[in-house]
Amino acid sequence: MNTILYPLLGTLFTFLMTTLGSALVFFFKDEIKDFYQQLFLGFAAGIMIAASVWSLLIPSMEMAEANGQNSALILGGGFIIGALFLLFLDHVIPHQHLNEDKPEGPKSMLGKNTMLVLAVTLHNIPEGFAVGLTFAIAASNSSITFASALALALGIGLQNLPEGAAISLPLKQEGMSRTKAFVYGSLSGIVEPIAGVIAGFTIHIMQTILPICLSFAAGAMMYVVVEELIPEAQLGKHSHVGTFGVLSGFVIMMLMDVFLG
């Protein structure tokens, strides 16, 4: 039971942070300036890079070695499969990024606002799975501590806060009411508790696949970072702002995992 409850609670926290970020639409009249958007995107990228290494890949390697598995194969194979899975979702789910004029994925009758939300929702799938999986493992054995799982949830939650605002404020600029923009921004994060609970059920399938599940989550997160977050953080005249965001996010997540984990 705990392997479902704890992942749910952990991902509900990250969902709450997305909701709080979306609520900023009630307090700001204009969309986020490019300076802050680059900083937030870079910060999110840094958080996810550090989380992929300290909270996912290193525990994956340790668990694989403890199980007598080939850690190189587990890390490399799971990582690549995770990235390919996000690539697959990129091609089958219609979505549109904030700074692009044309949608991606298959042709769809969905409106621009809906596809903007779907683009952020894609980011949240691997995040929810990663947080849920670490809490589930912490609840079932000592391979990952609750402190380490909490550090990952805090890190993902920190980057979800500006991410929620980054979707609700532009939606308002597109003509939505504040309330509707808030709801859309909040709903972009609802997939995290869903993915977290799915990760919790993974524990009950087979313990031996947990290392590859961790590396899978890392690969999916890194796909988002390299494909979308870092390129978008480098747009505009002052790309060093995005770079500073990546570095600061990486350091904060790394220190949280080291001291809490």
Side-chain angles (χ1 to χ4, degrees):
M1 182 63 182
N2 286 343
T3 56
I4 302 299
L5 177 61
Y6 288 123
L8 177 61
L9 293 176
T11 49
L12 281 176
F13 166 75
T14 60
F15 169 60
L16 174 63
M17 295 298 282
T18 301
T19 300
L20 290 176
S22 300
L24 293 176
V25 74
F26 294 111
F27 303 97
F28 290 89
K29 294 182 178 180
D30 301 318
E31 63 181 354
I32 298 176
K33 294 181 179 179
D34 289 342
F35 176 90
Y36 295 108
Q37 187 167 331
Q38 288 176 297
L39 182 64
F40 292 153
L41 286 168
F43 182 79
I47 289 281
M48 292 175 71
I49 293 170
S52 295
V53 176
W54 270 271
S55 300
L56 299 173
L57 289 176
I58 292 178
S60 172
M61 178 181 65
E62 293 174 345
M63 289 181 65
E65 291 176 347
N67 293 340
Q69 298 168 324
N70 187 322
S71 59
L73 181 62
I74 293 293
L75 264 67
F79 190 90
I80 292 172
I81 294 171
L84 290 176
F85 177 71
L86 259 290
L87 177 63
F88 169 75
L89 293 183
D90 238 356
H91 282 83
V92 299
I93 297 178
H95 61 283
Q96 184 168 346
H97 299 290
L98 291 173
N99 296 313
E100 295 183 1
D101 297 326
K102 296 182 179 180
E104 297 181 13
K107 292 182 178 181
S108 171
M109 298 299 292
L110 296 175
K112 180 180 178 181
N113 292 334
T114 302
M115 288 194 287
L116 288 173
V117 175
L118 286 175
V120 178
T121 302
L122 281 174
H123 296 181
N124 292 331
I125 293 174
E127 295 172 13
F129 186 80
V131 173
L133 188 62
T134 54
F135 271 100
I137 294 174
S140 63
N141 57 56
S142 59
S143 300
I144 294 179
T145 64
F146 274 110
S148 183
L150 179 61
L152 178 60
L154 287 173
I156 296 298
L158 280 175
Q159 65 101 10
N160 277 358
L161 190 62
E163 190 175 73
I167 187 67
S168 63
L169 289 172
L171 287 177
K172 175 182 167 292
Q173 292 297 311
E174 291 288 329
M176 271 193 183
S177 66
R178 293 178 188 271
T179 300
K180 194 171 183 179
F182 162 71
V183 171
Y184 270 57
S186 177
L187 287 178
S188 70
I190 194 64
V191 70
E192 292 196 3
I194 296 172
V197 170
I198 292 173
F201 279 109
T202 302
I203 297 293
H204 299 288
I205 298 174
M206 192 183 299
Q207 288 284 332
T208 55
I209 71 170
L210 295 182
I212 199 167
C213 287
L214 286 169
S215 58
F216 172 92
M221 288 175 64
M222 285 299 295
Y223 175 88
V224 172
V225 169
V226 178
E227 174 74 9
E228 298 171 13
L229 295 182
I230 289 181
E232 291 178 5
Q234 296 297 315
L235 294 175
K237 297 179 180 179
H238 306 293
S239 61
H240 61 278
V241 174
T243 302
F244 178 77
V246 173
L247 297 175
S248 59
F250 185 92
V251 169
I252 289 173
M253 183 64 220
M254 176 181 65
L255 293 178
M256 282 199 303
D257 194 89
V258 169
F259 287 110
L260 293 179

